Amino acid sequence: MIRNFVYDPNVSYVAEVLTAFGFDAAHKQYSLALLRFEVITPDSFMWRLLVNNAIYYLYAEDYVSGLAKIKNVFNSYLETTKWELVSPVKIIKFEEASPVKSAVTYAKPNDHASMMQYAADSGHDFVFLAKSSENADDAQFSDEAPRGFAGA
């Protein structure tokens, strides 16, 4: 499960989740570099990734109130609206998602059908992947990243 990365920062957790979005980890048919990891709240996490010469953001959270909240998270974190959500290969039903099944109570969002068009699950978390419009050539430089270091 992706949240295990907090305790064991092994990129294999990320690679495993990326398979839900069509990246084939078993055959290593893509390049992956972990650029940043952040704990946003005790139950939400963000990864900045360089995958096949494009910058992606992977967001995981256990309780999601709807797609609008996810879009707000990406807008705020990336400090732009120039990104697009990536759909998983297999769309799961809200009721069958592991975060819902493992919770004692989980209120179904009004836009759950729209939300599930972009949600994968990983243990207790819903996971969303956004492809950024950032220039991948500058990916390794933190001053080019949203919320990055702006040195003197």
Side-chain angles (χ1 to χ4, degrees):
M1 107 174 64
I2 190 74
R3 73 172 44 223
N4 287 345
F5 186 90
V6 174
Y7 310 106
D8 177 18
N10 187 323
V11 75
S12 67
Y13 294 116
V14 175
E16 181 181 318
V17 169
L18 287 176
T19 62
F21 294 96
F23 294 98
D24 188 356
H27 295 99
K28 308 280 186 213
Q29 294 181 345
Y30 65 93
S31 61
L32 169 64
L34 174 63
L35 302 174
R36 180 191 302 160
F37 168 71
E38 233 177 307
V39 176
I40 306 298
T41 71
D43 290 313
S44 63
F45 316 93
M46 185 73 78
W47 291 259
R48 183 173 187 249
L49 309 167
L50 180 61
V51 182
N52 288 347
N53 207 32
I55 299 173
Y56 290 85
Y57 289 84
L58 186 70
Y59 178 70
E61 184 173 351
D62 62 347
Y63 181 83
V64 178
S65 59
L67 187 58
K69 185 211 181 203
I70 296 304
K71 289 179 177 181
N72 286 335
V73 167
F74 282 118
N75 287 342
S76 176
Y77 194 86
L78 276 67
E79 298 177 339
T80 184
T81 58
K82 294 180 181 175
W83 55 268
E84 61 184 67
L85 284 171
V86 177
S87 293
V89 174
K90 180 182 175 195
I91 306 299
I92 53 178
K93 293 181 180 177
F94 179 80
E95 297 81 8
E96 295 174 5
S98 58
V100 175
K101 289 171 38 171
S102 65
V104 175
T105 60
Y106 205 121
K108 183 187 272 188
N110 291 338
D111 65 349
H112 69 279
S114 298
M115 181 180 93
M116 297 310 292
Q117 295 296 311
Y118 301 104
D121 62 354
S122 177
H124 300 295
D125 297 304
F126 279 111
V127 183
F128 299 87
L129 184 65
K131 184 176 182 182
S132 167
S133 65
E134 297 169 59
N135 183 347
D137 293 336
D138 298 328
Q140 303 290 345
F141 301 102
S142 65
D143 58 342
E144 296 294 324
R147 307 163 82 168
F149 175 74

